[in-house]
Amino acid sequence: MNCLDVVDLSSDDELGEVDLKPVKLEPGTIGSMIQQQQNHSVQPVKLFSSKTQARKQASEENKSPNNALSTGQSSTSVLEQCQSPGDDTGVCSTSAVSPAPICRQFWKAGSYEGGLGSKVTLQNSTNYLHVHPLFLHSNATSHKWAFGAVAELLDNAIDEIQNGATFVIVDKTSNPRDGSPALLVQDDGGGMDPEAIRRCMSFGFSDKKSKSAIGQYGNGFKTSSMRLGADVIVFSRHLDDRSLTQSIGLLSYSFLTRTCHDRIVVPMVDYELNLSSGTLDVLHGREHFASNLSILLKWSPFSTEAELLKQFDDIGSHGTKIIIYNLWLNNDGNSELDFDSDEKDICISGDIKKVDTIPAWKAVNEQHIARRYHHSLRVYLSILYLRIPETFRIILRGEIVEHHNIADDLKYIEYILYKPQSVGSVEGAVVSTIGFLKEAPRVNIHGFCVYHKNRLILPFWQVVSYSDSRGRGVVGVLEANFVEPTHNKQDFERTSLFQKLEGRLKEMTWEYWDYHCGLIGYQIRKKSQPPASHYSSHFTGQSSVQESVGLNKTYMVSDRVKGRLDVAEQSIPISSHGRSMQGLPMKRKEHVDLVKIEKVKRQAGTGCKTYLQPLNGIGNHLRDEETRNLLQENKKLRAKCLEYDKRGEELTIKVEELKNEMREVQREYGQLLAELKSLDAVKDEKDVNV
């Protein structure tokens, strides 16, 4: 196989010499990715502003008093690009003071010392406002939790499923320069062309228009990568019907602080495959390419262009690779991401919390998923998405992450339909799955796992606090797409709809506990009855229906108050096989299992008897009416069952009769066939005699 040489690049004299060596590419690796290449003209795009452009821009700003902010951006990137050393216009100033190395602890790395905060140059009496490098750090502080930042990077891969992505890899790699650990995130999605990667590394741009897309703010990549490490380099290959492009971008907090930039500079280089010559053509001009490449080779983990391009070898025809290096350290001076404790996992150092419980229950509490997801990335990723397509895999350190549905950990499950309303209109419908954890009552865990567009936002959100075990072990799962998450996707915006949701989930937890706590060994407790007038209004024109509550059996449902304007909801019970019961459009209100009531009375004594005693004649009448209705319905069902059994016996007898008739017909057929053969023999003898 012949190898093809990339066009040799020469450097800009003003930038000093850049070591650009020919890079050999195998035609089978890239050439086979495109069957046909159309004519595609590449217009050189300037990364640096000229004096004329700067003056023209300043003039336009003076003419327009409303234009108070000028980003000074080029068409290659919305972020500020580095200016040529020979250009004395613009505002990319640096300080002559040599800065100290940045602090490797994230929460202390935002302090600019030693003259790093240089003054902005004035030109033509106009202040140019830019995004200062400190914004990278302050923007990343929205992520209090390192795993929340990792989840942001995975969201981008999940959103690429619509573009054919089949996997995302999260793994440890090393920095070739010093051997320090680095974080690798790679997917086989559609990749980014030069324009898309510039939007990705800029602020506030999002191309995700799909309603199911998780990302929407155009800020996740910057906040997440800068939260995990000081520097990140991105490799992306994009293939379409016109061309194949390769782009490399560097977002380096180390570079910006050490060189004392007063604005964010993002060096990028772009290539396009030329099928006619089998080489990678440089886009946007060789001079600007050389200046950006020199920064990449100095501040990235790779010291030659050949090493940079080698990173595309395992990307395939399309995809993106992200390498975050100079990872942040914790207060003890150790890496915040622990790669050594478990070779198949990534942990957070020192984040294991002690559980205050009796010794016999300590192990089950510490090993529960609600505890482990705080410090185990594998556990967190297993519950991060409510649904994952069968064709997609999350691969952590070489091993597939098994998807885990929290609802599978529940027993005595009940489904409750919740319809939030705002200004008289229904905002959506949410089916909440609620039940006891299978380990209850041994675990002191409770709360709701709330998802938004398939993504976990609030894991085990404790909507209630208890001092007397009320709510212990009650866990729910729901997908709330009618409320908006915050930018870090670790909480929701505190809107009125969210507050209504919080209130309803709190009521739901207490209601479920009060009616079901006896199933896990606690004394059954019910809410105190309202006054007679209020109690009557709840049941005017309403009926209550319920089923007996037993282990692994169905749950009762009954009508709920209809007078609340902000909530419309319905309880959906399930059978022991998980199927929803039909024809019961009511909500739970009263426990009418008479057998269980009598059992509870005997166990609980006088106190329980006093509580279970009806408050007025209306309550007695309703209970009696409901009981009679249930008994009548039960008789009807039993009669139908007997009728079906009788019909089944008749059909069985009919089948046996038909089988007997078939055997008789077959016997007669055999006899007739034998007679026919004998007649044929007699006929043959007569013919011979004649």
Side-chain angles (χ1 to χ4, degrees):
M1 181 182 293
N2 295 329
C3 293
L4 305 173
D5 292 339
V6 174
V7 177
D8 190 15
L9 301 177
S10 60
S11 62
D12 192 326
D13 294 337
E14 291 182 334
L15 294 172
E17 192 128 357
V18 182
D19 183 17
L20 300 179
K21 298 179 180 180
V23 181
K24 294 183 178 181
L25 302 175
E26 297 183 2
T29 305
I30 300 178
S32 60
M33 299 173 187
I34 304 179
Q35 301 296 330
Q36 183 178 3
Q37 184 186 32
Q38 301 176 356
N39 293 330
H40 177 51
S41 59
V42 180
Q43 298 294 333
V45 183
K46 294 185 178 181
L47 284 92
F48 312 118
S49 302
S50 66
K51 294 182 179 180
T52 305
Q53 289 172 327
R55 290 167 182 161
K56 181 179 179 181
Q57 187 177 15
S59 175
E60 291 176 352
E61 289 178 355
N62 291 333
K63 294 178 181 179
S64 177
N66 295 328
N67 188 9
L69 173 64
S70 171
T71 60
Q73 66 191 27
S74 71
S75 58
T76 60
S77 174
V78 177
L79 289 182
E80 297 299 338
Q81 303 293 338
C82 186
Q83 286 184 291
S84 172
D87 189 355
D88 59 359
T89 63
V91 294
C92 185
S93 63
T94 58
S95 173
V97 180
S98 178
I102 64 171
C103 178
R104 289 295 305 279
Q105 296 177 4
F106 175 74
W107 296 106
K108 299 178 181 179
S111 302
Y112 259 29
E113 297 178 357
L116 287 176
S118 57
K119 295 182 179 180
V120 178
T121 304
L122 296 177
Q123 59 173 345
N124 297 335
S125 301
T126 302
N127 250 331
Y128 282 77
L129 304 182
H130 304 279
V131 181
H132 197 279
L134 272 178
F135 180 71
L136 289 177
H137 181 272
S138 60
N139 191 41
T141 58
S142 61
H143 285 291
K144 308 299 182 185
W145 186 39
F147 285 170
V150 176
E152 284 270 19
L153 298 175
L154 264 69
D155 290 343
N156 293 330
I158 293 292
D159 286 339
E160 282 296 303
I161 292 177
Q162 61 182 351
N163 295 326
T166 61
F167 68 82
V168 58
I169 296 173
V170 182
D171 208 342
K172 173 191 176 183
T173 186
S174 60
N175 187 336
R177 290 188 186 271
D178 55 13
S180 61
L183 181 67
L184 168 70
V185 180
Q186 180 177 342
D187 66 67
D188 64 339
M192 295 178 284
D193 59 20
E195 182 181 356
I197 194 173
R198 280 158 175 76
R199 288 195 296 267
C200 169
M201 305 187 81
S202 302
F203 289 93
F205 285 81
S206 177
D207 293 330
K208 300 175 182 178
K209 305 302 181 184
S210 173
K211 293 183 179 180
S212 61
I214 301 172
Q216 56 182 322
Y217 298 114
N219 196 37
F221 169 75
K222 279 76 65 176
T223 59
S224 57
S225 58
M226 291 293 99
R227 173 61 183 85
L228 297 169
D231 311 292
V232 58
I233 187 169
V234 182
F235 303 86
S236 192
R237 176 179 283 160
H238 178 72
L239 174 66
D240 57 23
D241 56 354
R242 299 183 304 169
S243 62
L244 180 145
T245 58
Q246 296 181 174
S247 300
I248 306 172
L250 176 68
L251 187 59
S252 174
Y253 190 60
S254 300
F255 159 63
L256 296 171
T257 55
R258 294 298 303 278
T259 55
C260 307
H261 279 80
D262 69 344
R263 56 175 157 174
I264 297 176
V265 176
V266 183
M268 298 184 190
V269 294
D270 305 292
Y271 303 86
E272 182 178 23
L273 179 65
N274 187 334
L275 283 184
S276 60
S277 62
T279 60
L280 290 174
D281 293 340
V282 173
L283 301 182
H284 304 144
R286 294 171 61 183
E287 178 182 346
H288 296 149
F289 172 87
S291 65
N292 282 267
L293 182 61
S294 65
I295 300 175
L296 284 168
L297 299 183
K298 182 176 181 180
W299 294 96
S300 78
F302 310 101
S303 56
T304 66
E305 185 185 15
E307 291 179 2
L308 284 173
L309 292 176
K310 188 174 179 59
Q311 298 304 308
F312 289 97
D313 289 353
D314 60 351
I315 290 182
S317 60
H318 49 79
T320 300
K321 177 189 290 187
I322 299 171
I323 299 177
I324 304 173
Y325 57 104
N326 289 331
L327 300 176
W328 299 116
L329 308 179
N330 58 21
N331 293 332
D332 297 328
N334 301 319
S335 177
E336 191 175 17
L337 297 180
D338 179 11
F339 298 97
D340 301 326
S341 297
D342 188 341
E343 63 180 8
K344 295 298 183 182
D345 200 358
I346 299 177
C347 304
I348 293 182
S349 303
D351 199 39
I352 301 178
K353 298 179 180 179
K354 294 183 179 180
V355 179
D356 185 16
T357 184
I358 62 176
W361 293 357
K362 187 173 183 180
V364 69
N365 276 271
E366 290 180 345
Q367 295 302 316
H368 196 274
I369 193 172
R371 308 284 186 191
R372 295 170 55 212
Y373 83 87
H374 289 284
H375 57 84
S376 170
L377 183 60
R378 180 170 295 276
V379 173
Y380 179 55
L381 296 185
S382 70
I383 62 174
L384 183 59
Y385 302 104
L386 191 58
R387 302 168 298 275
I388 294 182
E390 295 182 358
T391 57
F392 190 83
R393 296 289 182 269
I394 299 176
I395 304 173
L396 176 61
R397 305 201 71 178
E399 190 171 295
I400 295 175
V401 175
E402 296 295 334
H403 179 253
H404 186 88
N405 191 340
I406 298 295
D408 295 337
D409 296 339
L410 305 181
K411 58 185 177 181
Y412 314 129
I413 296 176
E414 209 175 296
Y415 296 123
I416 299 178
L417 179 64
Y418 170 67
K419 295 181 179 180
Q421 296 187 7
S422 177
V423 197
S425 62
V426 177
E427 295 292 333
V430 180
V431 177
S432 301
T433 304
I434 188 172
F436 282 117
L437 288 172
K438 293 179 179 178
E439 297 86 355
R442 294 177 296 159
V443 291
N444 56 350
I445 296 168
H446 67 285
F448 283 83
C449 294
V450 187
Y451 290 78
H452 177 80
K453 294 184 178 179
N454 194 42
R455 160 74 138 81
L456 180 62
I457 305 298
L458 290 175
F460 297 96
W461 177 32
Q462 298 181 358
V463 294
V464 300
S465 58
Y466 58 82
S467 57
D468 57 350
S469 297
R470 188 185 182 198
R472 180 188 179 99
V474 179
V475 169
V477 181
L478 68 151
E479 185 176 19
N481 294 335
F482 59 90
V483 288
E484 291 298 325
T486 56
H487 282 205
N488 62 3
K489 298 187 182 72
Q490 296 298 306
D491 202 349
F492 287 98
E493 297 290 349
R494 300 288 166 170
T495 61
S496 60
L497 279 175
F498 179 76
Q499 292 172 355
K500 291 175 182 178
L501 173 64
E502 182 178 11
R504 180 60 197 119
L505 295 182
K506 184 181 298 185
E507 294 175 0
M508 196 183 300
T509 301
W510 283 335
E511 288 174 0
Y512 182 88
W513 169 267
D514 290 343
Y515 283 94
H516 298 80
C517 61
L519 298 174
I520 60 172
Y522 287 91
Q523 180 178 347
I524 294 180
R525 54 187 298 180
K526 297 182 179 180
K527 295 180 292 184
S528 59
Q529 299 288 356
S533 59
H534 186 63
Y535 184 90
S536 301
S537 65
H538 288 180
F539 290 90
T540 302
Q542 305 292 341
S543 62
S544 177
V545 180
Q546 74 177 25
E547 294 289 337
S548 61
V549 181
L551 299 181
N552 297 323
K553 301 297 289 183
T554 59
Y555 289 108
M556 64 278 184
V557 290
S558 62
D559 265 353
R560 167 154 292 277
V561 180
K562 305 299 181 181
R564 300 180 58 176
L565 297 179
D566 61 322
V567 176
E569 58 185 28
Q570 180 182 2
S571 176
I572 307 173
I574 62 169
S575 67
S576 58
H577 301 288
R579 291 188 294 268
S580 174
M581 297 172 59
Q582 302 296 328
L584 296 176
M586 311 275 195
K587 263 203 57 79
R588 176 181 68 243
K589 189 65 183 178
E590 289 295 331
H591 210 308
V592 295
D593 190 337
L594 302 180
V595 176
K596 286 193 171 293
I597 288 178
E598 292 301 324
K599 183 177 180 181
V600 172
K601 285 181 178 180
R602 290 193 298 270
Q603 291 178 348
T606 307
C608 188
K609 288 180 180 179
T610 303
Y611 178 79
L612 292 173
Q613 197 172 18
L615 292 179
N616 48 51
I618 296 178
N620 279 330
H621 174 73
L622 288 172
R623 285 193 175 92
D624 294 341
E625 185 70 22
E626 290 166 358
T627 302
R628 285 194 294 270
N629 291 339
L630 287 174
L631 290 175
Q632 291 176 1
E633 186 68 22
N634 188 35
K635 290 180 180 179
K636 292 179 182 179
L637 292 174
R638 286 182 177 275
K640 288 184 179 180
C641 288
L642 292 175
E643 183 180 349
Y644 290 146
D645 289 341
K646 183 178 179 180
R647 181 62 176 164
E649 292 176 357
E650 293 176 354
L651 291 175
T652 301
I653 295 173
K654 185 67 174 178
V655 169
E656 290 297 327
E657 293 176 352
L658 292 174
K659 286 182 178 179
N660 293 333
E661 292 179 3
M662 182 67 71
R663 285 192 290 268
E664 183 67 22
V665 170
Q666 289 177 344
R667 187 181 62 79
E668 292 179 359
Y669 172 75
Q671 292 176 352
L672 293 174
L673 185 62
E675 292 178 3
L676 179 62
K677 290 181 179 180
S678 63
L679 291 175
D680 289 341
V682 172
K683 183 179 179 180
D684 292 340
E685 291 178 359
K686 289 182 178 181
D687 292 340
V688 171
N689 294 331
V690 174

